[in-house]
Amino acid sequence: MADTSDDTRSTFPAGFLWGCATAAYQIEGSPLADGAGVSNWHRFAHTPGMVHAGDTGDVACDHYNRWREDVALMRSLGMRGYRFSINWSRVLPEGRGRVNPEGLAFYDRLVDALLENGIQPMATLFHWDLPAALDDRGGWLNPDIAGWFAEYARVVFRKLDDRVGLWATLNEPWVVTDGGYLHGVLAPGHRSRYEPPIAAHHLLRAHGAAVQAYRAEGRNNIGIVVNIEPKYPASQNPEDLAATARADAYMNRQFLDPVFLGRYPGEMREVFGNAWPEWPAEDMLLIRQAIDFVGINYYTRSVTRHDARRWPVHGSGVPQKHATRTETGWEVYPQGLTDVLKWVSARYGQPPIYVTENGAAFYDPPSAIEGRVEDPLRVAYLREHLRAAHAALRQGVDLRGYFLWSLLDNFEWALGYAKRFGIVHVDYATQQRTPKDSARFYAEVIATQGAALGVNA
Ligand code: BGC
């Protein structure tokens, strides 16, 4: 029988939240302004050899001073939502105790400006910049951090929850543990085989404690943001299948299983061996708080094979011939977005989902030419991934919105300013912003509620 419901299903639902995402340390600059404390990312970036070309977030996109202009820019592109993060050290310079009203006032003004421009804020409480004073006490390795995080979260909720409708506790805890505690390429720069599971557990406890604090007085929605990279086996050989399962447990299930199911994946013991600790049952209860949505960051996939030399999962990715790769070396694989959205929905009981990040670094012309920056590969990336998101919606996923990474070219962590993810070009010498072709394309997608994607075809 012919499907006559196509008209209503062919574009995105009314109320779908179209937006873009950024993070404090990557765009704000002025890290020590108005009484802010030092963050571990400030310290890390100022440690010689840790960031490409010695780049730091000292100036970044100068968003701390140009936020009005940036909000106007979002409005001109038709954004309906904006996901930003709060720098904990601006609010609590020592990480706990004394509140810095001026730091809080920055986010207060930003939220007001967003709402005045019809843009719904989604605030992330922790996008990797931890107060250095807390790092000095062990950071994510110290069990007390769950309480410190809840204390900070409460201060922010009390100030902004009357206007912020969507809260994310943590951004990509897996990357914090893998980059920050295992490989040492992100702050705090540790290289340890034992620390990653401990940091992961306390990140999760902190998430649970913040959700608990929110339930006591918050009125809106709270969730967590994780990066999911689907793992496909390189062959049906049992060794490759087992490596794929371990890689998937380590990266994709280590965080969502405890949050939704109250337990760690069985493979974690195999992955970490004697570095995998036993945790008390009450911790798992704290972690398993009901949340209102889950945020998924999707960039690429991995085709995985057994590789005994690669710790901790004993598996590695097999480069795909003929695949398009981004400037960060990531395979462009839009189908993976449909797959992860369906997988998260099916495994975790069909929670409301937002794509909280998706985007690509490609080589862009070094500067605007006659006011234009052509970025055809990014336009193609967006078109294909938005179509993939739409396919998931059509197949029943409760997808509520899509936040593109990123509004602006910005400080790409250890890669400094060398990689550009923005749909708006930033000339770092002048701070001139120029919307790239991808920004115009995205604006058209938003204005047509997705029809510009040609998903009817
Ligand atoms: C992070 C962003 C980062 C982006 C691109 C995500 O892992 O949340 O902060 O810039 O990916 O690497």
Side-chain angles (χ1 to χ4, degrees), residues 167-187:
W167 292 95
T169 53
L170 309 175
N171 177 72
E172 300 190 353
W174 179 83
V175 176
V176 176
T177 65
D178 186 79
Y181 290 85
L182 178 67
H183 296 298
V185 296
L186 302 175

PDB file of all heavy atoms in Angstrom, residues 167-187:
ATOM      1  N   TRP A 167      19.957  21.199  30.281  1.00  0.00           N
ATOM      2  CA  TRP A 167      21.257  21.123  30.964  1.00  0.00           C
ATOM      3  C   TRP A 167      21.960  19.831  30.603  1.00  0.00           C
ATOM      4  O   TRP A 167      21.331  18.771  30.575  1.00  0.00           O
ATOM      5  CB  TRP A 167      21.049  21.121  32.480  1.00  0.00           C
ATOM      6  CG  TRP A 167      20.514  22.414  33.024  1.00  0.00           C
ATOM      7  CD1 TRP A 167      19.208  22.712  33.272  1.00  0.00           C
ATOM      8  CD2 TRP A 167      21.269  23.565  33.383  1.00  0.00           C
ATOM      9  NE1 TRP A 167      19.102  23.990  33.772  1.00  0.00           N
ATOM     10  CE2 TRP A 167      20.362  24.534  33.850  1.00  0.00           C
ATOM     11  CE3 TRP A 167      22.642  23.869  33.356  1.00  0.00           C
ATOM     12  CZ2 TRP A 167      20.770  25.790  34.284  1.00  0.00           C
ATOM     13  CZ3 TRP A 167      23.051  25.128  33.795  1.00  0.00           C
ATOM     14  CH2 TRP A 167      22.127  26.066  34.250  1.00  0.00           C
ATOM     15  N   ALA A 168      23.260  19.925  30.364  1.00  0.00           N
ATOM     16  CA  ALA A 168      24.076  18.717  30.198  1.00  0.00           C
ATOM     17  C   ALA A 168      25.105  18.718  31.308  1.00  0.00           C
ATOM     18  O   ALA A 168      25.757  19.745  31.550  1.00  0.00           O
ATOM     19  CB  ALA A 168      24.750  18.715  28.838  1.00  0.00           C
ATOM     20  N   THR A 169      25.230  17.605  31.998  1.00  0.00           N
ATOM     21  CA  THR A 169      26.203  17.550  33.092  1.00  0.00           C
ATOM     22  C   THR A 169      27.621  17.539  32.538  1.00  0.00           C
ATOM     23  O   THR A 169      28.398  18.460  32.752  1.00  0.00           O
ATOM     24  CB  THR A 169      25.977  16.292  33.944  1.00  0.00           C
ATOM     25  OG1 THR A 169      25.965  15.136  33.076  1.00  0.00           O
ATOM     26  CG2 THR A 169      24.670  16.374  34.724  1.00  0.00           C
ATOM     27  N   LEU A 170      27.972  16.472  31.806  1.00  0.00           N
ATOM     28  CA  LEU A 170      29.342  16.287  31.333  1.00  0.00           C
ATOM     29  C   LEU A 170      29.367  16.223  29.819  1.00  0.00           C
ATOM     30  O   LEU A 170      28.431  15.721  29.198  1.00  0.00           O
ATOM     31  CB  LEU A 170      29.905  14.944  31.830  1.00  0.00           C
ATOM     32  CG  LEU A 170      29.806  14.617  33.316  1.00  0.00           C
ATOM     33  CD1 LEU A 170      30.305  13.188  33.549  1.00  0.00           C
ATOM     34  CD2 LEU A 170      30.643  15.601  34.145  1.00  0.00           C
ATOM     35  N   ASN A 171      30.454  16.682  29.231  1.00  0.00           N
ATOM     36  CA  ASN A 171      30.684  16.468  27.811  1.00  0.00           C
ATOM     37  C   ASN A 171      31.734  15.378  27.618  1.00  0.00           C
ATOM     38  O   ASN A 171      32.867  15.504  28.095  1.00  0.00           O
ATOM     39  CB  ASN A 171      31.198  17.743  27.142  1.00  0.00           C
ATOM     40  CG  ASN A 171      31.510  17.501  25.661  1.00  0.00           C
ATOM     41  OD1 ASN A 171      30.592  17.348  24.860  1.00  0.00           O
ATOM     42  ND2 ASN A 171      32.780  17.422  25.291  1.00  0.00           N
ATOM     43  N   GLU A 172      31.363  14.303  26.948  1.00  0.00           N
ATOM     44  CA  GLU A 172      32.290  13.255  26.522  1.00  0.00           C
ATOM     45  C   GLU A 172      33.253  12.797  27.625  1.00  0.00           C
ATOM     46  O   GLU A 172      34.468  12.953  27.514  1.00  0.00           O
ATOM     47  CB  GLU A 172      33.109  13.731  25.321  1.00  0.00           C
ATOM     48  CG  GLU A 172      32.269  14.081  24.113  1.00  0.00           C
ATOM     49  CD  GLU A 172      33.113  14.313  22.861  1.00  0.00           C
ATOM     50  OE1 GLU A 172      34.352  14.326  22.950  1.00  0.00           O
ATOM     51  OE2 GLU A 172      32.525  14.448  21.775  1.00  0.00           O
ATOM     52  N   PRO A 173      32.711  12.219  28.694  1.00  0.00           N
ATOM     53  CA  PRO A 173      33.616  11.749  29.747  1.00  0.00           C
ATOM     54  C   PRO A 173      34.657  10.747  29.240  1.00  0.00           C
ATOM     55  O   PRO A 173      35.784  10.698  29.752  1.00  0.00           O
ATOM     56  CB  PRO A 173      32.669  11.117  30.772  1.00  0.00           C
ATOM     57  CG  PRO A 173      31.357  10.934  30.070  1.00  0.00           C
ATOM     58  CD  PRO A 173      31.298  12.001  29.020  1.00  0.00           C
ATOM     59  N   TRP A 174      34.317   9.974  28.207  1.00  0.00           N
ATOM     60  CA  TRP A 174      35.300   9.014  27.676  1.00  0.00           C
ATOM     61  C   TRP A 174      36.564   9.716  27.202  1.00  0.00           C
ATOM     62  O   TRP A 174      37.683   9.266  27.471  1.00  0.00           O
ATOM     63  CB  TRP A 174      34.711   8.183  26.515  1.00  0.00           C
ATOM     64  CG  TRP A 174      35.726   7.236  25.962  1.00  0.00           C
ATOM     65  CD1 TRP A 174      36.058   6.007  26.447  1.00  0.00           C
ATOM     66  CD2 TRP A 174      36.588   7.462  24.829  1.00  0.00           C
ATOM     67  NE1 TRP A 174      37.075   5.437  25.695  1.00  0.00           N
ATOM     68  CE2 TRP A 174      37.407   6.326  24.694  1.00  0.00           C
ATOM     69  CE3 TRP A 174      36.745   8.514  23.926  1.00  0.00           C
ATOM     70  CZ2 TRP A 174      38.373   6.201  23.681  1.00  0.00           C
ATOM     71  CZ3 TRP A 174      37.698   8.397  22.925  1.00  0.00           C
ATOM     72  CH2 TRP A 174      38.497   7.257  22.808  1.00  0.00           C
ATOM     73  N   VAL A 175      36.387  10.850  26.513  1.00  0.00           N
ATOM     74  CA  VAL A 175      37.559  11.560  25.989  1.00  0.00           C
ATOM     75  C   VAL A 175      38.408  12.106  27.138  1.00  0.00           C
ATOM     76  O   VAL A 175      39.643  12.090  27.080  1.00  0.00           O
ATOM     77  CB  VAL A 175      37.134  12.685  25.023  1.00  0.00           C
ATOM     78  CG1 VAL A 175      38.343  13.487  24.554  1.00  0.00           C
ATOM     79  CG2 VAL A 175      36.402  12.109  23.813  1.00  0.00           C
ATOM     80  N   VAL A 176      37.751  12.549  28.210  1.00  0.00           N
ATOM     81  CA  VAL A 176      38.495  13.044  29.371  1.00  0.00           C
ATOM     82  C   VAL A 176      39.381  11.928  29.926  1.00  0.00           C
ATOM     83  O   VAL A 176      40.569  12.126  30.213  1.00  0.00           O
ATOM     84  CB  VAL A 176      37.527  13.553  30.467  1.00  0.00           C
ATOM     85  CG1 VAL A 176      38.284  13.984  31.723  1.00  0.00           C
ATOM     86  CG2 VAL A 176      36.682  14.701  29.928  1.00  0.00           C
ATOM     87  N   THR A 177      38.829  10.729  30.026  1.00  0.00           N
ATOM     88  CA  THR A 177      39.611   9.638  30.635  1.00  0.00           C
ATOM     89  C   THR A 177      40.674   9.107  29.675  1.00  0.00           C
ATOM     90  O   THR A 177      41.811   8.874  30.066  1.00  0.00           O
ATOM     91  CB  THR A 177      38.695   8.471  31.065  1.00  0.00           C
ATOM     92  OG1 THR A 177      38.100   7.876  29.911  1.00  0.00           O
ATOM     93  CG2 THR A 177      37.603   8.935  31.994  1.00  0.00           C
ATOM     94  N   ASP A 178      40.322   8.945  28.414  1.00  0.00           N
ATOM     95  CA  ASP A 178      41.256   8.355  27.441  1.00  0.00           C
ATOM     96  C   ASP A 178      42.359   9.354  27.076  1.00  0.00           C
ATOM     97  O   ASP A 178      43.538   9.001  27.033  1.00  0.00           O
ATOM     98  CB  ASP A 178      40.480   7.936  26.191  1.00  0.00           C
ATOM     99  CG  ASP A 178      41.343   7.184  25.201  1.00  0.00           C
ATOM    100  OD1 ASP A 178      41.567   5.968  25.428  1.00  0.00           O
ATOM    101  OD2 ASP A 178      41.821   7.799  24.216  1.00  0.00           O
ATOM    102  N   GLY A 179      41.963  10.621  26.816  1.00  0.00           N
ATOM    103  CA  GLY A 179      42.948  11.630  26.422  1.00  0.00           C
ATOM    104  C   GLY A 179      43.685  12.208  27.620  1.00  0.00           C
ATOM    105  O   GLY A 179      44.869  12.516  27.542  1.00  0.00           O
ATOM    106  N   GLY A 180      42.970  12.360  28.743  1.00  0.00           N
ATOM    107  CA  GLY A 180      43.538  13.053  29.898  1.00  0.00           C
ATOM    108  C   GLY A 180      44.260  12.163  30.885  1.00  0.00           C
ATOM    109  O   GLY A 180      45.189  12.608  31.571  1.00  0.00           O
ATOM    110  N   TYR A 181      43.830  10.895  30.982  1.00  0.00           N
ATOM    111  CA  TYR A 181      44.395  10.025  32.023  1.00  0.00           C
ATOM    112  C   TYR A 181      45.122   8.792  31.475  1.00  0.00           C
ATOM    113  O   TYR A 181      45.903   8.178  32.175  1.00  0.00           O
ATOM    114  CB  TYR A 181      43.295   9.596  33.009  1.00  0.00           C
ATOM    115  CG  TYR A 181      42.811  10.748  33.863  1.00  0.00           C
ATOM    116  CD1 TYR A 181      41.826  11.622  33.426  1.00  0.00           C
ATOM    117  CD2 TYR A 181      43.401  10.994  35.115  1.00  0.00           C
ATOM    118  CE1 TYR A 181      41.400  12.703  34.199  1.00  0.00           C
ATOM    119  CE2 TYR A 181      42.988  12.061  35.892  1.00  0.00           C
ATOM    120  CZ  TYR A 181      41.993  12.918  35.441  1.00  0.00           C
ATOM    121  OH  TYR A 181      41.602  13.989  36.207  1.00  0.00           O
ATOM    122  N   LEU A 182      44.835   8.433  30.216  1.00  0.00           N
ATOM    123  CA  LEU A 182      45.521   7.257  29.641  1.00  0.00           C
ATOM    124  C   LEU A 182      46.672   7.681  28.728  1.00  0.00           C
ATOM    125  O   LEU A 182      47.806   7.263  28.903  1.00  0.00           O
ATOM    126  CB  LEU A 182      44.519   6.399  28.858  1.00  0.00           C
ATOM    127  CG  LEU A 182      45.098   5.151  28.166  1.00  0.00           C
ATOM    128  CD1 LEU A 182      45.570   4.127  29.185  1.00  0.00           C
ATOM    129  CD2 LEU A 182      44.076   4.515  27.236  1.00  0.00           C
ATOM    130  N   HIS A 183      46.373   8.541  27.744  1.00  0.00           N
ATOM    131  CA  HIS A 183      47.399   8.909  26.755  1.00  0.00           C
ATOM    132  C   HIS A 183      48.115  10.222  27.069  1.00  0.00           C
ATOM    133  O   HIS A 183      49.139  10.518  26.454  1.00  0.00           O
ATOM    134  CB  HIS A 183      46.763   9.012  25.365  1.00  0.00           C
ATOM    135  CG  HIS A 183      46.213   7.707  24.871  1.00  0.00           C
ATOM    136  ND1 HIS A 183      47.019   6.606  24.656  1.00  0.00           N
ATOM    137  CD2 HIS A 183      44.952   7.323  24.567  1.00  0.00           C
ATOM    138  CE1 HIS A 183      46.265   5.600  24.236  1.00  0.00           C
ATOM    139  NE2 HIS A 183      45.003   6.000  24.171  1.00  0.00           N
ATOM    140  N   GLY A 184      47.550  11.015  27.960  1.00  0.00           N
ATOM    141  CA  GLY A 184      48.221  12.257  28.355  1.00  0.00           C
ATOM    142  C   GLY A 184      48.231  13.351  27.299  1.00  0.00           C
ATOM    143  O   GLY A 184      49.010  14.297  27.395  1.00  0.00           O
ATOM    144  N   VAL A 185      47.340  13.261  26.304  1.00  0.00           N
ATOM    145  CA  VAL A 185      47.351  14.273  25.244  1.00  0.00           C
ATOM    146  C   VAL A 185      46.378  15.428  25.514  1.00  0.00           C
ATOM    147  O   VAL A 185      46.366  16.416  24.793  1.00  0.00           O
ATOM    148  CB  VAL A 185      47.046  13.655  23.851  1.00  0.00           C
ATOM    149  CG1 VAL A 185      48.150  12.679  23.452  1.00  0.00           C
ATOM    150  CG2 VAL A 185      45.684  12.961  23.856  1.00  0.00           C
ATOM    151  N   LEU A 186      45.544  15.263  26.512  1.00  0.00           N
ATOM    152  CA  LEU A 186      44.632  16.328  26.931  1.00  0.00           C
ATOM    153  C   LEU A 186      44.864  16.566  28.423  1.00  0.00           C
ATOM    154  O   LEU A 186      45.454  15.716  29.104  1.00  0.00           O
ATOM    155  CB  LEU A 186      43.166  15.903  26.697  1.00  0.00           C
ATOM    156  CG  LEU A 186      42.760  15.528  25.256  1.00  0.00           C
ATOM    157  CD1 LEU A 186      41.324  15.007  25.229  1.00  0.00           C
ATOM    158  CD2 LEU A 186      42.903  16.716  24.313  1.00  0.00           C
ATOM    159  N   ALA A 187      44.367  17.703  28.933  1.00  0.00           N
ATOM    160  CA  ALA A 187      44.525  17.961  30.370  1.00  0.00           C
ATOM    161  C   ALA A 187      43.806  16.869  31.171  1.00  0.00           C
ATOM    162  O   ALA A 187      42.745  16.411  30.751  1.00  0.00           O
ATOM    163  CB  ALA A 187      43.932  19.332  30.718  1.00  0.00           C
TER     164      ALA A 187
END
